[in-house]
Amino acid sequence: MHLPRQLGPLHDLPATPEAYDAVLAGVVEQALARLTPEGGLEHPDADDDIGDTSLGVTSLLALAWQRGKDARLPEAVRRSLAFHLRERVYTEDNPGYPNLTVRDSGLPYARYVLAPGAHPVGDWPSTVWALLQAVDVLDLAEGLVADEQRAELLALSRGYWRWLTEATFFNPQEAGNQAIGCVVGGLMLARHLPPGEDEPVRERALALYRDRIRAHRVLDRGALLPPEHGGAYDNNYGPISLSFLAQAHRISGEAMFAEDGDALARYLDARLPNGGFDNGGPRYSEQHSGFEAVLGLRYFGDRIGSDLGRYRGDTHWGRHAVRADGGVDGHFAWMLVWQIQDTTPWHRTPSTAPARHQLRAGSVSVAFDHRMTPSLVEAGGTYHLPAAVDRQHGFGPVLDGFLYCRPMGEVRVRDLHADGLTAKLVGKPVVGRDHVLRHVRSLYVTDGTRLWVTVAVERFDGTPYLLAGLPYAADDGDRVRRVAEGQVAAAGALRLTHPARQGPDHFDARDELTQEQAAFALAADPRGYGDPDEGWRHLVSSTAYEAEPAPGAPEHLHVFAVRYGPGGAFTPSFDGDLTVRTEAFTAVVGPQDAHGVPGLALTGR
C-alpha cells in the first residue's frame, strides 16, 4: 500500500510564468462552465469549508484577467462577486457558535457549513479565508470591478476584520496558521483603507502578532514556533504557517515576520529528510499540504539557503484545492495568487551548515528530536521511525525492558566533516531504573549512501540489545510505500521483531495500517480533532530492529554497531576507550575538551 498524502517534492512542479498561466487557463475554463445563473462558482459537491470558495475562484479569474485580458472574464467576475456579496455574507449569529464575545453584533462573517448551526466552530477560520479572498480581489480590481461593487467589497472586508478581532475570541482553535492568516488579512486590508483609517488596522494586526502569536510560541528542537492546534508543529499546517509568514513579510517588510519564518524554516529543514517524508503533529500525522505550502517553502528556502522544496506535498493539491473528481475548489485560492505574484526562485541545494538536530548527506539523513534521539532515520530509500518497547519510544540500548535514551542532564553534540564523510557524535547522561548514571555515546557516520551507527555505554550486568528503529516506509517514485523491513546490518546478532500481542497499542509494520490511523486510534478525541502525537505516545510495542552487542568491544563497554543502507559484510572492530573501524572509516571518540564536549576524529578508508 502507499501512503495517501505524501507524493512528489513540491519543487518538482513547474513554476514558470507559462506554467502558471496554463494553470489559470484551466481554472478559467472550469469556472466559466460551472458559473451558475446566480453567479456561484462553488464546486457542486462542496459542503464544508465552503464560505470562501466561490470568492476564491473569483480571485483566480481576476488574476487571470490581469495577466491575459480574456474578454470573457469581467462579466464572470462581476456576477460571481455579486453572488458572494448577496448569498454568502451572514450577519446573524450562527446558532451554537461558542466563541462570540459580542452577541448580535450585526458584523459579517463566513460560514464553514452553510446550514445554520451545522458545525459552527469552523466559522472563525472560514471568515479569515473569506477576508483573504476579498482583499485579493481588491488588489486585482483595477480596471475590472466597478466602483460601487468595489466599495461594497471593501466594506465587507472591514466587517470581516471587525468580526474576527472584536466580536469573537482571537484564534479560538489555537491554530497558528489561522491566526497568522488573520494578521495577513488585516495588513492587506489596511492598504485599501483611506488615510487615518489604515494605520489603526495595520497596528492592530501587528500587535495581534506580537502579543497573541509571537509571545506564545512553543519551543521544540531548539526553535520557537507558532503553536499549531496546541502543539509546536504539524506537518500539514506548519508549512502553511510558513507561507503566511512569507506573505506577511512581503507586504509589511516587518523584520519579525522574516526572523520567525527563518526560525520555522530552519526547524523544518532539520526535521525533513532528503526524501521529503515527514510525520507527526497535533492535528495530523501524515497529511501534507500542497500548493498552500509552496510560497513559504520557496520564499524561506531561498532566505536560509536550503532545498525546502524537497518536502513531499500532496500533489493532488499541487496547484489549487480540488474535490474528489479533480474539479477546482476555491478554498485557499489566495495561496495560488500569492505564489504566482512572488518571483522568488526555488533554492535546490542543501544547506552546508551543520544543524544540531540533523545529520544529512547525499541520500542519507537523520532527524533528531529535542532529546537528540533520532525521530527519523533515512537510508537506502527507507524511513525508520522510533520503535516502541514497554511504552518507551526511541533508539537506544535496552536492558530488562528499559530503554536508555532519555537524558538526565545536558546532551553534548559534536559535528564533523572529513574525507567525504559526515558525522555527528551525541553524548547523553542517562539514568536507569537502578538509579545508576550511565553515559550513552552515539556516533552517526554517513558517506551519503550508507549510515553507520555505533552506540557505546558502560557495560551492563545482563544482556542488553539496541532498539534500532521501526521500518515504516520507502520511496517509490512519486509515492511513499509502506514497508515492514529495510536494509539493515549489525555487528552482533540482528533480529526484526513484531509485537507478540494484538490491539491498537501494538503496531505491527506488516499490517496495512498507517501511523496516522494507529495514532488516532489511541488519541483521546476523533480524527481531525484529537492529537495523534499524544495518541501515538500510548503505543506499547512495535515492530523493531534489535541488535545484540558487537563482539570484540572493550571490556568496560557494551558497544552496538548497525549499518543502514546497501553494503556487503559488516564486521567493524573496536579498541581503546572507543575507536571504531569499519569498511569505510576509522573514528576515534576522544576525551572531553575543556567545555565537556567529547572529541572526535574521523578518517576515510
Side-chain angles (χ1 to χ4, degrees):
M1 61 176 289
H2 288 100
L3 300 182
R5 294 285 186 173
Q6 301 193 43
L7 306 174
L10 289 178
H11 63 197
D12 286 355
L13 293 169
T16 62
E18 294 78 14
Y20 281 131
D21 282 337
V23 171
L24 290 174
V27 170
V28 165
E29 297 308 319
Q30 280 197 56
L32 293 178
R34 177 187 299 171
L35 187 65
T36 67
E38 297 77 21
L41 287 170
E42 292 157 356
H43 191 286
D45 294 337
D47 177 45
D48 57 12
D49 264 327
I50 192 173
D52 68 301
T53 61
S54 181
L55 190 58
V57 178
T58 301
S59 73
L60 294 176
L61 298 184
L63 179 62
W65 184 81
Q66 293 290 359
R67 291 169 71 88
K69 298 298 188 288
D70 186 330
R72 300 173 297 172
L73 295 181
E75 177 65 12
V77 168
R78 184 193 65 78
R79 287 176 56 198
S80 60
L81 181 53
F83 168 82
H84 181 85
L85 293 169
R86 183 182 66 250
E87 304 289 344
R88 293 296 177 257
V89 177
Y90 297 86
T91 56
E92 295 182 358
D93 295 351
N94 198 353
Y97 184 71
N99 300 315
L100 291 175
T101 58
V102 178
R103 295 205 173 274
D104 301 319
S105 68
L107 293 171
Y109 65 94
R111 286 187 177 173
Y112 177 75
V113 177
L114 299 181
H119 204 86
V121 293
D123 290 354
W124 200 86
S126 287
T127 304
V128 174
W129 310 155
L131 171 61
L132 291 169
Q133 313 285 25
V135 292
D136 266 357
V137 174
L138 289 172
D139 281 353
L140 298 164
E142 184 67 31
L144 181 62
V145 176
D147 290 346
E148 182 179 350
Q149 201 174 39
R150 183 190 178 281
E152 190 176 354
L153 181 61
L154 179 58
L156 174 63
S157 301
R158 285 163 139 173
Y160 282 154
W161 173 252
R162 290 190 60 200
W163 187 87
L164 290 164
T165 59
E166 298 176 20
T168 72
F169 289 97
F170 180 78
N171 191 21
Q173 295 183 22
E174 297 183 2
N177 75 98
Q178 297 173 10
I180 304 170
C182 182
V183 167
V184 171
L187 294 172
M188 295 183 70
L189 170 64
R191 302 188 305 176
H192 293 281
L193 296 176
E197 297 181 26
D198 56 346
E199 198 58 27
V201 172
R202 174 184 164 85
E203 287 303 316
R204 174 68 169 149
L206 295 176
L208 284 170
Y209 184 78
R210 284 193 304 265
D211 300 338
R212 304 295 297 276
I213 302 172
R214 198 177 204 217
H216 297 278
R217 286 175 298 166
V218 178
L219 183 67
D220 187 41
R221 307 187 195 191
L224 285 170
L225 309 173
E228 189 55 67
H229 287 282
Y233 179 82
D234 182 278
N235 61 17
N236 178 40
Y237 292 114
I240 295 174
S241 284
L242 194 64
S243 288
F244 281 131
L245 287 168
Q247 180 68 358
H249 185 244
R250 288 181 67 233
I251 63 176
S252 74
E254 292 286 335
M256 62 181 175
F257 297 121
E259 293 165 2
D260 295 355
D262 287 350
L264 176 54
R266 291 192 179 98
Y267 169 89
L268 194 153
D269 192 34
R271 71 175 287 146
L272 196 64
N274 298 288
F277 167 82
D278 191 17
N279 76 299
R283 186 71 179 268
Y284 296 104
S285 287
E286 293 178 339
Q287 179 170 313
H288 272 43
S289 48
F291 75 100
E292 317 101 305
V294 167
L295 175 65
L297 296 172
R298 198 170 65 191
Y299 189 84
F300 285 105
D302 185 67
R303 280 185 57 89
I304 71 169
S306 195
D307 55 336
L308 293 184
R310 68 188 187 276
Y311 178 92
R312 279 188 181 270
D314 185 349
T315 50
H316 288 145
W317 278 35
R319 298 301 196 181
H320 46 68
V322 298
R323 289 283 163 171
D325 63 358
V328 63
D329 185 310
H331 187 51
F332 265 57
W334 65 84
M335 286 294 193
L336 178 57
V337 172
W338 299 345
Q339 67 172 272
I340 291 175
Q341 292 171 335
D342 180 63
T343 58
T344 304
W346 282 114
H347 187 100
R348 296 182 178 275
T349 57
S351 170
T352 58
R356 178 179 173 89
H357 294 89
Q358 179 193 62
L359 174 74
R360 183 185 178 203
S363 60
V364 172
S365 55
V366 184
F368 296 87
D369 64 16
H370 64 286
R371 305 177 306 191
M372 287 305 297
T373 296
S375 61
L376 186 68
V377 171
E378 174 196 26
T382 299
Y383 304 101
H384 299 80
L385 304 179
V389 57
D390 288 351
R391 300 186 186 275
Q392 303 159 91
H393 300 200
F395 288 71
V398 177
L399 179 67
D400 297 331
F402 185 86
L403 172 60
Y404 289 79
C405 74
R406 295 170 296 279
M408 180 64 70
E410 191 64 29
V411 179
R412 310 284 185 162
V413 179
R414 182 177 287 273
D415 289 280
L416 186 64
H417 184 82
D419 294 345
L421 300 165
T422 304
K424 186 183 292 287
L425 176 64
V426 177
K428 294 182 185 181
V430 177
V431 174
R433 289 198 176 105
D434 56 5
H435 291 201
V436 173
L437 182 70
R438 290 177 171 84
H439 291 82
V440 178
R441 292 175 291 174
S442 302
L443 175 65
Y444 306 84
V445 181
T446 180
D447 62 358
T449 302
R450 298 163 290 179
L451 172 69
W452 293 265
V453 179
T454 306
V455 179
V457 63
E458 292 91 345
R459 184 169 288 271
F460 294 103
D461 292 328
T463 307
Y465 65 88
L466 181 73
L467 193 67
L470 155 65
Y472 178 69
D475 292 337
D476 187 12
D478 282 346
R479 303 298 301 272
V480 179
R481 176 172 45 88
R482 279 280 283 107
V483 298
E485 60 183 348
Q487 293 178 288
V488 182
L494 179 70
R495 54 187 175 266
L496 179 61
T497 65
H498 304 285
R501 298 172 59 188
Q502 294 183 335
D505 51 357
H506 302 278
F507 186 83
D508 191 325
R510 297 170 298 183
D511 295 340
E512 289 196 354
L513 188 70
T514 68
Q515 187 271 348
E516 179 174 282
Q517 290 170 324
F520 269 116
L522 295 170
D525 295 303
R527 186 183 185 280
Y529 302 97
D531 182 344
D533 276 5
E534 188 275 333
W536 187 252
R537 284 191 285 270
H538 292 296
L539 193 70
V540 174
S541 67
S542 74
T543 293
Y545 276 109
E546 300 175 356
E548 294 186 2
E555 290 185 359
H556 66 295
L557 295 176
H558 269 124
V559 177
F560 309 88
V562 177
R563 185 188 65 206
Y564 301 84
F570 180 48
T571 56
S573 62
F574 317 92
D575 57 56
D577 181 53
L578 188 57
T579 298
V580 183
R581 293 183 175 86
T582 74
E583 71 275 22
F585 64 87
T586 297
V588 180
V589 179
Q592 296 180 350
D593 63 16
H595 303 287
V597 180
L600 178 62
L602 183 66
T603 55
R605 301 180 68 177

